[in-house]
């Protein structure tokens, strides 16, 4: 298991809430010292990244925004939106994987993580890891965990109680400004 990519490109993927974005940003600040980082998120997540002014101007950092909607939203219009976003994001992500060829990706939860992790894993052989920030695993990470190389968890027991062989107790990543 290696977090450092052969091409020095690591993809971080996070849904659009602070609970997903902030742990990803904490990891980002460490790995960008030696790797190019490409951050995949949705429009809401990008708004958090806009607050990180020092990141946006760095050569070894890029952001890719994909459109995502929960597949569980009710209503026919939402089902069509989901299908449209799924297809357009699939095309955008396939182009991304052909262009950059990352070897490692880390998902931090949210529906935004599902498609990139699975496309990378099954079509481009990209190793992926997930990080769960909560005591009860979210839907996206439940879907992804069976296929992940490892799952980083903040507590020694996370529900559901399975896939113990993949789980590593790592705690929750904390940004440097919070530590100080």
């Amino acid at each position: 298991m290696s977090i450092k990519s052969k091409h020095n490109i690591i993809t971080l993927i996070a849904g659009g809430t602070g609970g997903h974005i902030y742990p990803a940003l904490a990891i980002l600040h460490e790995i960008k010292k030696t790797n190019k980082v490409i951050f995949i998120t949705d429009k809401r997540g990008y708004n958090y990244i806009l607050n990180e002014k020092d990141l946006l101007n760095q050569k070894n950092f890029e952001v890719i925004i994909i459109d995502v909607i929960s597949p569980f939203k009710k209503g026919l219009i939402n089902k069509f939106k989901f299908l449209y976003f799924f297809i357009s994001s699939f095309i955008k992500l396939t182009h991304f994987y052909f262009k950059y060829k990352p070897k490692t990706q880390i998902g931090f939860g949210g529906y935004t993580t599902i498609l990139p992790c699975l496309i990378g894993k099954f079509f481009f052989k990209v190793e992926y890891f997930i990080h769960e920030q909560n005591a009860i695993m979210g839907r996206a990470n439940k879907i992804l965990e069976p296929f992940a190389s490892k799952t980083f968890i903040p507590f020694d027991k996370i529900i559901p109680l399975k896939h113990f062989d993949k789980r590593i107790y790592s705690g929750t990543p904390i940004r440097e400004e919070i530590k100080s």
Side-chain angles (χ1 to χ4, degrees):
M1 173 180 75
S2 170
I3 295 287
K4 187 165 180 175
S5 167
K6 176 181 167 189
H7 297 284
N8 285 346
I9 297 174
I10 296 178
T11 305
L12 300 181
I13 310 158
T17 66
H20 302 299
I21 293 287
Y22 287 125
L25 288 174
I27 297 294
L28 167 70
H29 287 291
E30 284 302 311
I31 63 174
K32 74 177 174 65
K33 295 173 184 172
T34 56
N35 300 278
K36 177 177 177 74
V37 178
I38 299 174
F39 201 112
I40 300 175
T41 189
D42 58 21
K43 290 173 187 166
R44 296 175 310 151
Y46 184 65
N47 288 330
Y48 285 96
I49 293 171
L50 286 175
N51 293 327
E52 303 282 322
K53 303 285 186 218
D54 62 316
L55 281 178
L56 295 174
N57 299 323
Q58 293 186 7
K59 290 182 184 177
N60 62 343
F61 177 72
E62 287 184 46
V63 178
I64 295 175
I65 300 169
I66 60 174
D67 292 317
V68 179
I69 186 173
S70 168
F72 302 104
K73 280 194 166 194
K74 295 187 188 309
L76 189 59
I77 291 175
N78 285 325
K79 299 302 180 198
F80 280 116
K81 273 185 174 178
F82 169 76
L83 186 61
Y84 173 76
F85 289 160
F86 182 89
I87 292 167
S88 65
S89 293
F90 185 90
I91 292 166
K92 189 175 194 174
L93 290 165
T94 301
H95 174 67
F96 158 75
Y97 285 108
F98 274 120
K99 181 178 178 182
Y100 290 101
K101 297 175 178 52
K103 292 294 178 199
T104 305
Q105 53 191 1
I106 307 170
F108 290 86
Y111 294 117
T112 306
T113 61
I114 296 173
L115 193 58
C117 284
L118 294 180
I119 289 173
K121 172 79 172 186
F122 293 113
F123 294 105
F124 296 93
K125 306 295 184 229
V126 179
E127 181 178 38
Y128 79 86
F129 304 88
I130 57 175
H131 186 278
E132 176 58 50
Q133 299 84 353
N134 302 300
I136 299 174
M137 188 172 284
R139 275 189 193 165
N141 280 347
K142 281 182 193 173
I143 292 167
L144 292 171
E145 188 175 34
F147 310 106
S149 297
K150 294 289 178 190
T151 301
F152 299 104
I153 57 173
F155 312 107
D156 52 354
K157 289 198 170 86
I158 296 284
I159 297 171
L161 299 173
K162 52 185 171 181
H163 302 293
F164 291 113
D165 57 322
K166 294 183 176 205
R167 293 185 176 179
I168 297 173
Y169 171 70
S170 62
T172 299
I174 300 182
R175 294 172 292 145
E176 199 59 46
E177 61 267 23
I178 302 294
K179 290 180 193 175
S180 303

